[in-house]
């Protein structure tokens, strides 16, 4: 099962995702912000690497909470 949380900056997506994950620990939490922290350096190249790593972490047949800003190409 996938639970997808998308919204604007500062709307509480991360807080909601963490609260759900605390209750339903079998779900893997994927947050685009975590990937940006891991791979990002502020450049567009690093943003693309972070985004691709995030997208590639969405796995079939895996319970995941997927949290990201907006509904642009990352959401697609």
């Amino acid at each position: 099962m996938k639970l997808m949380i998308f919204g604007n900056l500062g709307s509480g997506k991360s807080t909601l995702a963490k609260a759900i994950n605390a209750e339903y620990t079998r779900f893997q939490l994927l947050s685009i912000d975590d990937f940006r922290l891991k791979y990002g350096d502020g450049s567009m190249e690093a943003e693309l690497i972070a985004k691709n790593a995030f997208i590639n972490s969405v796995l079939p047949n895996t319970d995941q909470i997927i949290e990201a800003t907006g509904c642009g190409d990352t959401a697609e």
Side-chain angles (χ1 to χ4, degrees), residues 3-16:
L3 177 59
M4 301 177 81
I5 303 171
F6 294 101
N8 294 326
L9 292 171
S11 63
K13 299 175 306 298
S14 295
T15 301
L16 176 61

Side-chain angles (χ1 to χ4, degrees), residues 33-55:
D33 291 341
D34 293 338
F35 287 82
R36 286 181 174 136
L37 285 173
K38 184 174 181 176
Y39 297 104
D41 63 8
S43 70
M44 290 305 295
E45 293 83 11
E47 174 67 14
L48 184 59
I49 291 168
K51 184 172 73 170
N52 286 334
F54 174 73
I55 291 168

